[in-house]
Amino acid sequence: MDYKEETIAAIATPIGVGGIGIIKISGNNAENIVRKIFRSKQPIKSFDSFRLCLGYIIDPKSKLPLDEVLLSIMRAPFSYTREDVVEINSHSGHTVLSNILQIILRAGARLAKPGEFTLRAFLNGRIDLTQAEAIIDLINAKSDMSVRLAASQLAGGLGTRTEQIRGALIEILARIEASIDFPDEESTVITRSDIAGQINRKILKPIKGLIGAYSQRKIWHEGVSVAIVGRVNVGKSSILNRFLQEERAIVTPIPGTTRDILEGMVNIEGLPLRLIDTAGIRKVKGKVEKKGVDLTRTQLTLADLILLVIDRSRPLNQHDLNLLSEVDKKTAIVVINKIDLPARLSEKRINSTFKHLPKISVSALTGEGFKNLNKAVFTKVMDKKIGVSPTSIVPNLRHKTALNKAATFSENASTNIMNGFPLETVAADLSWAKDALDEITGNKISEEILDNIFSRFCLGK
Ligand SMILES: Nc1nc2c(ncn2[C@@H]2O[C@H](COP(=O)(O)OP(=O)(O)OP(=O)(O)O)[C@@H](O)[C@H]2O)c(=O)[nH]1
Ligand SMILES: [Mg+2]
């Protein structure tokens, strides 16, 4: 059946006890259904769009009121789905909500699938596919920055950029096609190098920019992982606790206190950091210790950033030097801890050993130096270009796959036109590139992919 003939309904608020619960209905039949099950407190002739109306949900069978509710109608096309939408604010509590929903279903609605309201917003042309995906991201966002990125995508950032590239592509395609159809007309003559230049500049370059931004996505959604490593007792757990401003990890003077991986999230200027405290590196004795040190070594390769901690109140030893040789110099910051204690490690020695690494002196005990450490971490992340500004357009994996496809076809077109291939071949490549861009916004998309995207939504959205 055509979706336009079906009116759907679902509970939009999470299960559980709360102040209010919301039930949503969308479709042509929404208002009819409401007329069967709702009795207004003040007599009304017709519902005004976007106006709250106080009344009762009445069970049509028993004629008894089920709940006192606030009801609103948002008439098409000015609604979330661009269909007639009704929202019922009832008291929360699962039984009340599901009883009301049952009555609505009996009155002619069908239970909505997860994401079906948003699917309709897409099918009815109110949003493109990137915006629908932004709604899922927004719901699942775990940091300020991922909220901002999702909001910018919801506002149409990625969709607009994709449409711009697509527009340029269609223009180039039109010029090639005109020259195929009317090869002898002066107005349609093209130079191959000119077309190749335009493909590179107007299509490939912006596409590659977008692909490059993909790596930033993980950072903003999951946080930059920062492993705190060092030999035993240098103060790694104390540093974690100081960052988190709580006693998350056990701190003792006994070497080898931490044996497992401990994590905590912090935010530095909106940048989410996943801090990872590790077991100190030393000569291991038992199985548990060995496991702990192995886990530390894994973190060395997995983490986006390493804080290599040393203890200034003791001389360096072989474990410090071994660790230094294991860290990737591009991603490490040396944290010189315990500066509140008398130094037994000279600045000269530190500078010569950790030559090309940024160094920050701190005391996990007093908190001295942590402002600088925050700054250094932030700068390092930004320098590594793993950070983005809040206005960035950051594609997800699905978009990136499509962009890669579009880039490959455009690259073929650009090389082929320079190598004297028939213009028909070049045009075919460009039109495949266009299809790939259409997958991003959903101009052209398979049912399967749509199902896949919308099944990630929660019920009632
Ligand atoms: N004076 C002083 N003591 C510190 C500082 N940081 C840590 N300590 C002390 O050093 C000892 C070890 O600290 P931890 O934070 O447990 O060190 P760790 O590196 O996690 O140790 P392991 O888990 O055993 O590898 C504890 O007694 C801390 O109180 C500091 O900045 N100044
Ligand atoms: Mg520890």
Side-chain angles (χ1 to χ4, degrees):
M1 207 198 310
D2 183 8
Y3 76 90
K4 293 204 162 130
E5 288 162 31
E6 291 187 299
T7 295
I8 53 173
I11 300 171
T13 40
I15 295 177
V17 182
I20 58 163
I22 298 176
I23 295 169
K24 282 204 313 199
I25 314 172
S26 177
N28 286 338
N29 207 16
E31 189 167 341
N32 273 336
I33 291 174
V34 165
R35 289 185 183 282
K36 290 187 211 164
I37 64 159
F38 178 75
R39 192 174 69 214
S40 166
K41 273 202 174 178
Q42 304 287 333
I44 47 164
K45 278 195 228 86
S46 65
F47 294 102
D48 291 336
S49 198
F50 283 97
R51 181 137 189 189
L52 285 175
C53 190
L54 180 64
Y56 298 97
I57 298 291
I58 306 287
D59 184 340
K61 263 197 214 151
S62 65
K63 310 276 184 260
L64 293 173
L66 261 179
D67 191 11
E68 186 182 44
V69 302
L70 274 172
L71 181 142
S72 56
I73 292 193
M74 287 146 270
R75 287 217 172 73
F78 305 107
S79 71
Y80 186 75
T81 56
R82 277 209 178 154
E83 299 170 348
D84 283 350
V85 168
V86 172
E87 279 187 16
I88 300 172
N89 292 256
S90 73
H91 291 102
S92 186
H94 190 61
T95 318
V96 181
L97 283 166
S98 55
N99 285 349
I100 297 175
L101 180 64
Q102 286 312 321
I103 288 176
I104 293 168
L105 298 181
R106 266 190 261 128
R110 160 172 80 62
L111 186 64
K113 293 186 221 130
E116 199 171 1
F117 292 95
T118 311
L119 173 65
R120 290 197 171 187
F122 165 70
L123 293 174
N124 293 328
R126 192 180 68 81
I127 54 173
D128 72 17
L129 206 48
T130 65
Q131 291 170 304
E133 289 169 301
I135 293 168
I136 312 180
D137 288 348
L138 204 52
I139 292 172
N140 295 328
K142 292 200 175 49
S143 73
D144 287 357
M145 198 53 93
S146 45
V147 168
R148 276 191 248 169
L149 282 181
S152 124
Q153 188 169 316
L154 180 58
L158 178 63
T160 310
R161 178 74 60 86
T162 310
E163 286 300 328
Q164 281 164 355
I165 302 172
R166 183 178 178 273
L169 205 152
I170 286 173
E171 245 172 62
I172 298 172
L173 198 53
R175 286 189 60 196
I176 296 176
E177 278 166 355
S179 137
I180 295 172
D181 293 342
F182 311 101
D184 304 323
E185 270 183 40
E186 209 176 312
S187 64
T188 61
V189 169
I190 52 171
T191 22
R192 285 179 176 256
S193 61
D194 172 43
I195 293 287
Q198 287 201 30
I199 294 175
N200 292 339
R201 216 174 43 251
K202 295 187 182 163
I203 299 168
L204 270 170
K205 198 163 161 240
I207 288 183
K208 289 197 171 151
L210 283 176
I211 293 174
Y214 169 74
S215 62
Q216 304 166 346
R217 181 182 171 84
K218 184 180 148 272
I219 304 292
W220 292 113
H221 284 274
E222 293 165 27
V224 185
S225 53
V226 182
I228 309 173
V229 300
R231 71 162 204 256
V232 284
N233 242 355
V234 291
K236 300 176 294 298
S237 301
S238 307
I239 288 172
L240 175 82
N241 289 347
R242 177 59 68 179
F243 265 116
L244 301 179
Q245 294 176 346
E246 61 172 296
E247 298 296 310
R248 174 71 56 90
I250 299 171
V251 169
T252 75
I254 306 160
T257 304
T258 309
R259 293 172 159 204
D260 213 340
I261 302 285
L262 270 175
E263 288 194 11
M265 292 293 293
V266 282
N267 238 298
I268 298 186
E269 295 181 39
L271 180 71
L273 297 185
R274 196 156 54 81
L275 291 170
I276 305 158
D277 181 22
T278 63
I281 299 285
R282 65 161 162 177
K283 230 193 231 127
V284 287
K285 292 189 198 97
K287 260 193 195 156
V288 182
E289 264 184 34
K290 178 166 185 314
K291 187 89 191 158
V293 171
D294 286 347
L295 283 176
T296 304
R297 293 235 144 77
T298 318
Q299 284 306 324
L300 281 179
T301 55
L302 288 183
D304 296 313
L305 194 67
I306 306 280
L307 297 184
L308 176 56
V309 185
I310 58 171
D311 178 351
R312 203 192 60 169
S313 71
R314 287 159 193 259
L316 290 176
N317 74 17
Q318 196 53 44
H319 292 304
D320 297 304
L321 302 176
N322 289 349
L323 258 177
L324 175 62
S325 68
E326 284 176 53
V327 304
D328 179 352
K329 305 286 183 304
K330 289 193 293 288
T331 58
I333 295 174
V334 180
V335 180
I336 306 161
N337 192 30
K338 306 199 190 181
I339 53 168
D340 55 293
L341 294 177
R344 290 191 51 204
L345 189 55
S346 72
E347 227 178 292
K348 204 169 139 220
R349 176 77 212 273
I350 294 174
N351 285 337
S352 64
T353 312
F354 303 101
K355 235 178 280 156
H356 301 296
L357 292 177
K359 295 172 261 306
I360 304 292
S361 301
V362 301
S363 163
L365 188 72
T366 66
E368 193 185 344
F370 272 75
K371 266 202 188 119
N372 290 338
L373 184 54
N374 276 344
K375 225 184 272 163
V377 168
F378 189 78
T379 314
K380 191 86 182 173
V381 172
M382 290 305 178
D383 276 359
K384 277 185 67 200
K385 302 268 186 292
I386 47 182
V388 280
S389 76
T391 52
S392 290
I393 296 172
V394 179
N396 66 20
L397 181 62
R398 186 186 76 79
H399 308 141
K400 186 189 145 209
T401 313
L403 287 165
N404 274 334
K405 234 193 286 180
T408 309
F409 286 126
S410 313
E411 237 150 16
N412 287 349
S414 152
T415 349
N416 289 347
I417 201 164
M418 287 311 285
N419 289 339
F421 277 53
L423 291 180
E424 285 81 357
T425 320
V426 178
D429 271 323
L430 286 180
S431 112
W432 284 320
K434 180 179 81 62
D435 288 350
L437 293 178
D438 281 340
E439 278 175 33
I440 298 177
T441 48
N443 282 343
K444 206 176 205 171
I445 191 88
S446 75
E447 194 109 344
E448 197 185 338
I449 295 178
L450 274 190
D451 279 351
N452 188 317
I453 291 172
F454 287 95
S455 64
R456 297 192 333 252
F457 273 85
C458 39
L459 266 171
K461 190 68 212 176

